[in-house]
Amino acid sequence: MELKERIEALEKELKELTKVPAGGGESFRIAYSGKKGHLKGLYEELKSVPNEMKKEVGQSINSLRMLVEEKISSWSTIDAAESTSTKDLTRPGSGPELGSLHPITLVKEEIVDIFSRIGFTLSEGPEIEDDWHNFSALNFPPEHPARDMQDTFFVDEDHALRTHTSSVQVRVMEGTKPPIRTISPGRVFRNEAISSRSHCMFHQIEGLYIDKGVSFADLKQTLLYFAKEFFGEKADIRLRPSYFPFTEPSAEVDVYWGLETETDHRITKGTGWLEIMGCGMVDPQVLENCNIDSGIYTGFAFGMGIERIAMLRYQVPDIRMFFENDMRFLSQFKTF
Ligand code: DAH
């Protein structure tokens, strides 16, 4: 091949080279501008080119040299960047970002764990519930205000979004022979105005214990155990008489965990006591509704709101924060 043609061929080859060639930047440099490289050879040959053509051929070899230098300098900056970023094998690795559990899940799991240690099993029921399981079997008379359109999201004539997890007790009692010890966490819905203290969707945990000879003393002791496990050894409980259609007698449970941990005295109005759940002895009529012989068996039930307990545990001032999915809030609950 003529010298001119070879120079043109090399120039074409160089222009097509857009990334560092397979052998790396250094082998390219040796092949082109090394002691025995292409450029050296071309300049050697230039000596024997006739005088009238020397200028032209010389210029094309020069521009080839510039092209080679340009390539080498651009690749050496890539090499330098690579060796300081990705190729430093002593750099510590960056692990994948771990997510965190939702505070409601954390509290729910802790409560379920506390009760599972004394033999309670986990049970769940549907969020769209029929009238029987949400109301009728639990002794809500047809005219009871809880059935009112203002409290309940109805789906059709006979179905609604469950207003409490007490519906799961009915399902468990219908399908299980006593003894029964179960705990049922889940989402519930009420047609209520949304504010810092109440929401139209929240979570409850229901507890149920049915066996021969279960007494109110068992209920009290179980709840005291729970309060001490969850709120600490200093925690105490008190039961105030109350009314629920499905328990007789019924009570509301207040917990006391010492005023010194309370940063916001509005929560307990400075008394240290706060209501955390409803409870009672399962009404014999409810047992009968679920085909359990109330002459043989007795039992207790209780139900608590998870948000309320999570608000106490983490000093969360507004229930809406649990449902806004704001990462600044959620990422504070990292557990790993
Ligand atoms: N279901 C009640 C509510 O949503 C809470 C409750 C009270 C559950 C007393 C019970 C109970 O099991 O015995 O307000």
Side-chain angles (χ1 to χ4, degrees):
M1 219 195 306
E2 273 295 299
L3 180 59
K4 249 182 96 179
E5 279 165 4
R6 273 189 286 130
I7 294 172
E8 272 163 20
L10 281 171
E11 197 176 78
K12 188 162 173 277
E13 196 179 295
L14 272 181
K15 283 187 173 152
E16 281 166 4
L17 261 185
T18 49
K19 51 182 196 231
V20 186
E26 180 59 10
S27 59
F28 173 87
R29 189 193 64 77
I30 292 168
Y32 278 83
S33 48
K35 272 195 203 133
K36 293 178 185 155
H38 294 302
L39 288 172
K40 190 91 178 165
L42 291 173
Y43 283 120
E44 228 21 82
E45 282 181 61
L46 184 62
K47 289 176 190 160
S48 49
V49 168
N51 272 348
E52 65 276 19
M53 286 180 65
K54 258 204 176 89
K55 192 174 173 210
E56 194 197 330
V57 176
Q59 275 174 352
S60 55
I61 299 177
N62 279 347
S63 68
L64 190 69
R65 182 172 53 89
M66 277 159 71
L67 209 59
V68 169
E69 274 163 10
E70 230 175 79
K71 293 279 173 196
I72 290 173
S73 74
S74 73
W75 290 332
S76 67
T77 57
I78 295 174
D79 277 351
E82 279 187 353
S83 64
T84 53
S85 63
T86 57
K87 284 190 183 154
D88 180 0
L89 300 181
T90 63
R91 289 183 87 210
S94 52
E97 270 274 329
L98 282 180
S100 53
L101 289 177
H102 193 280
I104 296 298
T105 307
L106 289 173
V107 169
K108 179 191 85 180
E109 286 187 351
E110 188 173 340
I111 297 172
V112 168
D113 187 55
I114 289 170
F115 281 101
S116 72
R117 294 206 287 272
I118 52 168
F120 281 70
T121 57
L122 188 70
S123 53
E124 283 176 321
E127 290 177 357
I128 296 177
E129 192 51 283
D130 54 38
D131 180 273
W132 170 255
H133 292 96
N134 198 75
F135 295 125
S136 300
L138 290 164
N139 271 350
F140 282 86
E143 69 284 0
H144 195 282
R147 291 174 172 231
D148 199 293
M149 290 292 275
Q150 271 146 28
D151 288 315
T152 308
F153 290 113
F154 284 95
V155 173
D156 60 31
E157 278 283 291
D158 191 48
H159 293 86
L161 300 182
R162 67 178 171 198
T163 58
H164 53 183
T165 44
S166 303
S167 56
V168 187
Q169 328 178 354
V170 178
R171 288 186 174 271
V172 173
M173 284 192 279
E174 282 174 340
T176 325
K177 248 173 72 85
I180 297 170
R181 253 178 294 176
T182 190
I183 178 132
S184 330
R187 237 183 335 187
V188 301
F189 308 84
R190 289 190 197 163
N191 195 358
E192 273 176 25
I194 296 172
S195 72
S196 63
R197 313 292 294 167
S198 69
H199 210 285
C200 58
M201 183 204 83
F202 54 102
H203 298 75
Q204 287 188 333
I205 288 199
E206 189 80 9
L208 178 71
Y209 184 11
I210 311 279
D211 204 349
K212 288 175 188 153
V214 176
S215 70
F216 202 90
D218 297 323
L219 169 60
K220 219 177 145 182
Q221 202 55 38
T222 304
L223 297 182
L224 183 62
Y225 156 79
F226 164 72
K228 287 190 183 295
E229 289 292 308
F230 191 88
F231 293 104
E233 203 32 54
K234 282 207 337 244
D236 202 358
I237 57 165
R238 73 180 178 195
L239 276 69
R240 282 177 293 107
S242 185
Y243 173 77
F244 298 100
F246 40 92
T247 44
E248 181 57 37
S250 305
E252 237 136 358
V253 185
D254 296 341
V255 68
Y256 182 87
W257 70 97
L259 266 178
E260 57 278 17
T261 55
E262 189 177 340
T263 52
D264 182 348
H265 280 223
R266 284 172 307 175
I267 296 177
T268 70
K269 301 187 180 74
T271 65
W273 289 98
L274 190 79
E275 186 209 317
I276 57 159
M277 66 176 119
C279 68
M281 299 305 290
V282 179
D283 192 304
Q285 184 58 52
V286 174
L287 294 176
E288 294 297 329
N289 290 345
C290 302
N291 305 318
I292 290 176
D293 189 340
S294 63
I296 303 177
Y297 294 105
T298 53
F300 64 72
F302 55 87
M304 61 187 116
I306 302 182
E307 278 77 3
R308 176 147 233 206
I309 292 175
M311 285 167 85
L312 288 175
R313 155 75 41 107
Y314 301 118
Q315 301 281 322
V316 176
D318 192 320
I319 194 171
R320 290 169 288 201
M321 296 172 94
F322 292 119
F323 307 114
E324 282 166 353
N325 279 338
D326 187 329
M327 286 306 290
R328 291 168 300 180
F329 174 69
L330 295 178
S331 62
Q332 293 177 51
F333 299 94
K334 283 229 189 289
T335 39
F336 309 105

